[in-house]
Structure formats: C-alpha cells, structure tokens
Amino acid sequence: MTRALRIAAQVARILLGVIFVAAGVLKSLDVAEFARQTAEYHLVGPGAAALLAPLLIAFETTLGIALLLGWRPRLAAALTGGLLVFFIALEAWGLSHGRTEACGCFGAYVKRTPQQVILEDLGFLALAILVVFGIGTWQAGRRRLTAVLTAATAVVMLGFAIASPRLPLDPLVTSLKTGKTATDLGIASRLPEEGPEGTLVAILDVTDPVSKVAAASLNALKEQPVPVSVIALTPSTEQEQAAFLWEAYPAFDVIPMDRGLLKPLYRRLPIYFLVREGRVERIFPGPRPPEADLLSSKAS
Amino acid sequence: MNNPITPTGFAGARRTFGIAAAALLWAAPVLFLAAVTTPAQADTITCRPIYDFCVEVDGKYPQDARFLTSSDSRGKHMVDIPSQSVTYLIDMPARKAVSIPRANVHPEAGGTVKVDTAGSGTSSYALEIEGPVLRFQTDNAKVRVLKVLDRPPVVGPIGMDALLADRIEYREGIKTYTPDAVAIDAIKAWKKPLEIEAYFATWCPHCKMYMPKLLRVLKDANNPNIKVTLVGVPKNFGMEKGPWEGKNIQGIPAVMVKYEGKEVTRLGALESSVPEVEIAGIMNAIK
C-alpha cells in the first residue's frame, strides 16, 4: 500500500467524519422536519418516521465522530458506506416514483434536488470506499478513550435529537426574528391590511388536530375588541386547507404557501407573530394564540 | 308564656310575593334596556368571492359560477350559479345548503354581496364533505365545490382568451396584478419578432400565482411582434407524450423566450417574479 493512498485515506476519513457530524447536527436542529421528509418516501408511516428520525441522526453523528476520532475507522467507514448506499437507493427510488422535493440530508436549511443529492452521496461513498481500502490497519491510540467518546456521542446525540423540538433553538435556526420585515420573510404579499395594532399571523399545520383548537381560539380572539387583523399561513396543501375550512370554520383567511418558503420561519407549529408597520414586533410560540398578551397590550 | 297564634303560612306567602314584586320592579328596566339594545338575530351576511374554489354543476363548470365566503358569519358560505333562479347559502355547522331567492342577494363593490337570509329556507339540502370537496344535490342539479387545482386540467396548447374564459382563478388573478408601467412601455415598443412559450399546469399552485401575472403583462403590452404559445401540461408530464417533451422542463411553469427561432433564456417564473421587468430586460439585452 503506497504512502499516498494512506494519506488520501486519512484525508477522506476526516472529510467524511466532518460531513457526517455536520449532517447529523443540522438534522437534529429540526427533527420533526427530517421525520416528515423521511415519511414522504412512503416506506414508513409518519409515526414510525418520527421514531426513526432521532435514531438515524444519532447513528449518523456517531459514525462521523468515530471516523474523526479514528475509532475502528474501517468498520465506521464500511457502515458509513452502507448507510450511503441506502440513502442513494432511497433517493433513486423516490426519483423514479416522481418525487422531486430535495431530501433532508442536511436538515431543512439546505435545499438540493434529488439528482444533486445522489451525486453528492456517490462522492461520499467514494470517500468511504477509500477509507475502507486505503487506511490499512491504522487506528487512533487510546482506543478505550475513543470508544468511550464514540459511545458518549451516540447517547448525547440521541438525547439531543429527542429533546431538540422542546429546546429554545428557534432564534438560532429560523429566520423569524423580531425586527424583520414581512418582505424579508417572503410573506408580505400574503398579509391583509394591518389593523390599528398590526396583523397577527398564525402559521398552522392544518392537518394537525391542534390547529382546530388554534382556529377556535383565533375565532374567539376575533370576536374580542382586539384591533389586529388575523391571518393564518399554512405549509399544508390546498386540498388540506379546503378540508380545514369545511371542518374548523375559521373566521380568518387561511392561505396555503409553498413549504419551502414557510419552513425557514419555524421549527414547530403552530407559531404566532405580530406584524406591525410591516415588521415582526413580537413572536409567540404555540400552541395557543396570544389572546391574553394581545388584550393586555391593548389595555396598556 | 303565650304564643301568639299567627297565620305564618299567609305571612310567608306575602313576604315571598313582596320580594318577587320588588325584584320584578328592579328587573323590568334592565330587561327593557336589554331588549332594546341587544341586536336582533342577524339576518344579513356579507360574502366575498374566493377564486381558489370552483363550482361544478352536473359535471360542468359554468363560467360565472362562484363560491363566496362570509366575512362576518363563521362557517357560512354561498354558492352562486347565475343560470339558476336561486343561490345557495352553505351553513357548515348545520351541514346544510339553503336556497335563497336572488332578490335577497345584493351585489356590492369588489364582487362582495350582502345576503338577506330572512326569507331563506324554502328548500334545504344535506351537505356532504369528502375531504376537500363539498357536495350537495338540489332539486335539479348536483353541485360540488372544489379547489380549482382539482378540476380536470387543461392539457395541450390553448389560446389566452380560451384559458381566461375557462379558468376563473386566472381571469380574476390578472385583475389583481398591476405591472410596472415603464417595463410595459418597453415591451410595447419592441419591434422584432419574439416568441414566448409557456408550459404551465392548471393543477399547479405556483402556476396559479405566476401565470396570471404573465398573462396580464402580455395582455397589457398587446404587442403583435410577440408570439405567445401557452401549453397546459398533465400531472405526470415527465412520462406523458406531448409538446412538452424534449424541452428539458424540470419544473413548471417553464417560460421560454425564443428569438430568431432559438431559445435565448427562460423566465424566472417564481411566485415573487416580476415578468414584465424580466421580459423588458431580455429585450434590452437582445437589442
């Protein structure tokens, strides 16, 4: 085995490790979205996808850490290659069945087409093969320590992926921030004329039963003397919006928007925010609309 | 000790009567005030048209049939089919459609109508909901309200006027777009032959947002040097044979700009795109 091949394999190991850690961490920021994207392949249902998503994220990150630390690098690279073959097969299957949405390989915040995803994965697979066949018997010293660190990564990442939806990470990972304009957020053309105290925007997943409760609360809010106009935006389909209209009787407009446009604004739904003079003034995380806050702000 | 013998039953009844009379005296003004200040049961509702929905009558889509929704009465909608002598008030909570005489419907500005529901209820029909589709059967017609995207799609080449006549969402969509006047003037002034070939889908939400803007621009520019070809594509256009084949269409709408028979570029065709500015820019670059 030449020295050049060994060096190339070491570079590939580190590169692949960084890529897998980055992919795992990015996915862990929005586990629900990764689960949704997984379910879109229709190989597993939404419930199973929700269970599978944290496991996949933890597994991916652990492989990345194992590669970076040099703990059993050939085994880690072989498992990484296997995972990549699975991803490629999944994407190719989706593509052959007319699926055009980019996969969630780098979380919800990096968008690529399925063709780009397959090409990238093939590149990563080449790196994994290089590690398996080029690294020889090398592995890092302090084997016990690296083993402990790899195992700890698995546990920590699994815990983080499970807890992530409840952690206050929204300001870090979404573009919805106070002070941003409706134009910045790409929703300006959808907002109604502002009331004297602005527009309360709700982002609802109308397929979620919680949205019916939210609609009832928003309806009640509209009946109060709160001088705000109310609108709901939804990443759900037009058909789902129609069904919601027949079932929930919203007294406000519910506007379907492209998921790609809305997704950067939230991690979990429902979420509410007040737009005043074209800018986001306050953000109210769900699940219920901020009736008390709006009423008290009126009173003050 | 002598106990005075008192007619306690009678005294009790007198006391009760006294309290009741006093209460009534106090309550009377309150009841009177409530009666005069409480609004009577609202019998007029305001409805505005929603062009995301269409009305199917016996499997056909009458051109002016509209679906309207109430902005002041929750869960109430209206179906207006001009060819019929009555309109229909949809009462979602009661799960029924009620016929309303046309005389009770008063048009206002912007397509809004005021509906006097006082004389309604001459006939009522059970509503059925199938996911996104609302259905009821009147004495003489089967009516369905569905998303415009769920109508059978336009497939193949279609003229602009025919498209606008057929699709209410496009017809109304062009009314709401105000193109940039400077860009329109530039397009109007274009003297060389140019072709715009648009592949779009009536089932596609992006096309529903973008195409009315493009059509409005082409209508306003009204330049005979610009040849416009509109082609509707089916849902699985990647697998179906048709004029969209071999055009390298990865997504729709795909709007090609051809000059001297060759494709020079494609328009952005995004929801936020400003087609007139883009077209004027392309013309400026070709010049």
Side-chain angles (χ1 to χ4, degrees):
Chain A
M1 194 178 298
T2 65
R3 190 163 176 267
L5 183 63
R6 276 201 300 273
I7 293 170
Q10 288 290 357
V11 172
R13 172 182 68 83
I14 292 167
L15 209 57
L16 205 55
V18 168
I19 289 164
F20 264 60
V21 169
V25 169
L26 279 171
K27 279 178 195 157
S28 70
L29 297 176
D30 198 346
V31 183
E33 180 64 6
F34 177 55
R36 188 195 68 77
Q37 287 168 335
T38 306
E40 293 248 312
Y41 289 95
H42 299 296
L43 286 178
V44 292
L51 285 176
L52 203 61
L55 291 172
L56 261 175
I57 289 166
F59 185 51
E60 203 172 349
T61 318
T62 306
L63 286 178
I65 288 289
L67 283 166
L68 281 176
L69 296 177
W71 181 74
R72 292 182 179 264
R74 287 180 76 177
L75 174 67
L79 287 173
T80 304
L83 197 60
L84 284 165
V85 168
F86 172 70
F87 287 155
I88 291 166
L90 195 64
E91 206 60 50
W93 181 85
L95 202 57
S96 70
H97 284 74
R99 195 185 125 86
T100 53
E101 191 189 336
C103 86
C105 302
F106 277 80
Y109 306 99
V110 182
K111 296 280 179 204
R112 288 150 313 135
T113 66
Q115 290 92 335
Q116 286 171 325
V117 169
I118 290 174
L119 274 177
E120 275 172 13
D121 281 355
L122 283 171
F124 299 155
L125 184 60
L127 292 179
I129 291 169
L130 186 59
V131 176
V132 171
F133 292 102
I135 207 156
T137 54
W138 179 89
Q139 59 181 314
R142 298 191 174 190
R143 207 168 144 183
R144 187 170 288 176
L145 178 66
T146 53
V148 168
L149 286 174
T150 305
T153 301
V155 174
V156 168
M157 274 313 290
L158 185 60
F160 181 73
I162 292 169
S164 162
R166 283 167 288 278
L167 297 176
L169 301 172
D170 292 27
L172 298 174
V173 294
T174 72
S175 56
L176 180 63
K177 292 178 176 72
T178 51
K180 283 226 173 183
T181 66
T183 310
D184 294 338
L185 303 178
I187 57 168
S189 63
R190 307 305 183 97
L191 299 189
E193 197 175 318
E194 282 186 19
E197 294 198 16
T199 299
L200 179 68
V201 183
I203 306 181
L204 306 175
D205 171 4
V206 296
T207 60
D208 185 346
V210 170
S211 288
K212 273 194 184 176
V213 181
S217 300
L218 287 168
N219 286 342
L221 183 65
K222 272 204 82 177
E223 284 163 14
Q224 300 278 338
V226 182
V228 292
S229 48
V230 177
I231 190 166
L233 306 175
T234 178
S236 310
T237 65
E238 297 241 0
Q239 289 74 16
E240 289 162 347
Q241 175 247 12
F244 183 72
L245 215 60
W246 308 145
E247 299 289 344
Y249 323 138
F252 47 88
D253 281 343
V254 180
I255 299 181
M257 273 188 76
D258 190 283
R259 183 176 285 274
L261 289 175
L262 267 189
K263 187 66 199 78
L265 307 190
Y266 66 87
R267 284 198 315 145
R268 277 199 307 166
L269 293 181
I271 191 165
Y272 309 86
F273 53 98
L274 183 69
V275 175
R276 202 166 173 181
E277 292 173 6
R279 281 185 189 277
V280 177
E281 191 176 88
R282 292 172 74 185
I283 300 167
F284 313 89
R288 296 180 77 86
E291 183 178 345
D293 283 346
L294 289 172
L295 288 172
S296 64
S297 78
K298 192 209 166 229
S300 64
Chain B
M1 201 171 159
N2 284 335
N3 280 331
I5 300 168
T6 55
T8 50
F10 177 67
R14 251 192 3 189
R15 197 164 51 242
T16 307
F17 177 77
I19 290 167
L24 204 63
L25 269 173
W26 277 101
V30 177
L31 289 172
F32 173 76
L33 276 173
V36 295
T37 53
T38 304
Q41 181 72 31
D43 50 12
T44 300
I45 63 169
T46 308
C47 291
R48 64 190 162 84
I50 299 193
Y51 300 112
D52 283 346
F53 289 89
C54 59
V55 179
E56 182 196 271
V57 183
D58 292 330
K60 294 187 176 128
Y61 297 88
Q63 201 186 57
D64 296 323
R66 294 183 307 165
F67 173 75
L68 302 94
T69 191
S70 169
S71 41
D72 51 14
S73 191
R74 215 154 47 78
K76 297 242 169 74
H77 310 287
M78 206 186 105
V79 170
D80 182 25
I81 308 165
S83 62
Q84 298 207 358
S85 58
V86 292
T87 59
Y88 301 97
L89 180 74
I90 308 286
D91 187 338
M92 292 307 304
R95 287 286 195 271
K96 64 179 183 181
V98 181
S99 64
I100 304 264
R102 258 182 204 288
N104 290 24
V105 180
H106 310 288
E108 298 205 320
T112 303
V113 294
K114 283 229 187 278
V115 187
D116 180 4
T117 59
S120 66
T122 48
S123 308
S124 76
Y125 313 97
L127 279 181
E128 282 178 55
I129 298 170
E130 289 173 71
V133 181
L134 199 65
R135 199 170 64 175
F136 60 96
Q137 178 149 15
T138 69
D139 299 333
N140 52 14
K142 285 181 182 169
V143 180
R144 293 203 311 154
V145 177
L146 62 158
K147 279 280 178 174
V148 288
L149 301 180
D150 292 337
R151 266 185 72 176
V154 166
V155 175
I158 185 168
M160 195 192 300
D161 291 338
L163 177 64
L164 293 177
D166 187 48
R167 298 282 156 165
I168 196 167
E169 69 276 24
Y170 284 41
R171 200 161 65 239
E172 294 298 326
I174 67 168
K175 290 180 192 168
T176 58
Y177 184 59
T178 312
D180 179 271
V182 177
I184 290 290
D185 286 344
I187 300 170
K188 270 184 185 168
W190 179 254
K191 296 279 192 287
K192 297 173 187 172
L194 192 80
E195 287 176 63
I196 292 181
E197 211 170 288
Y199 294 84
F200 71 102
T202 49
W203 48 265
C204 157
H206 306 290
C207 297
K208 190 180 73 171
M209 298 295 296
Y210 176 80
M211 286 302 289
K213 295 205 281 189
L214 178 67
L215 299 180
R216 173 68 187 262
V217 167
L218 296 171
K219 239 178 144 45
D220 283 9
N222 193 24
N223 185 333
N225 296 314
I226 302 173
K227 185 187 167 200
V228 181
T229 308
L230 303 172
V231 181
V233 302
K235 276 201 170 164
N236 48 349
F237 65 94
M239 320 265 227
E240 297 268 325
K241 291 194 181 306
W244 46 84
E245 275 181 296
K247 308 274 182 184
N248 191 27
I249 298 174
Q250 301 292 326
I252 46 170
V255 185
M256 301 160 191
V257 181
K258 291 182 173 178
Y259 180 64
E260 294 178 341
K262 286 182 187 161
E263 183 182 329
V264 286
T265 189
R266 292 186 183 194
L267 299 187
L270 300 170
E271 200 182 303
S272 55
S273 297
V274 186
E276 68 277 17
V277 171
E278 222 177 331
I279 294 170
I282 293 163
M283 288 172 166
N284 197 36
I286 293 173
K287 239 191 292 193

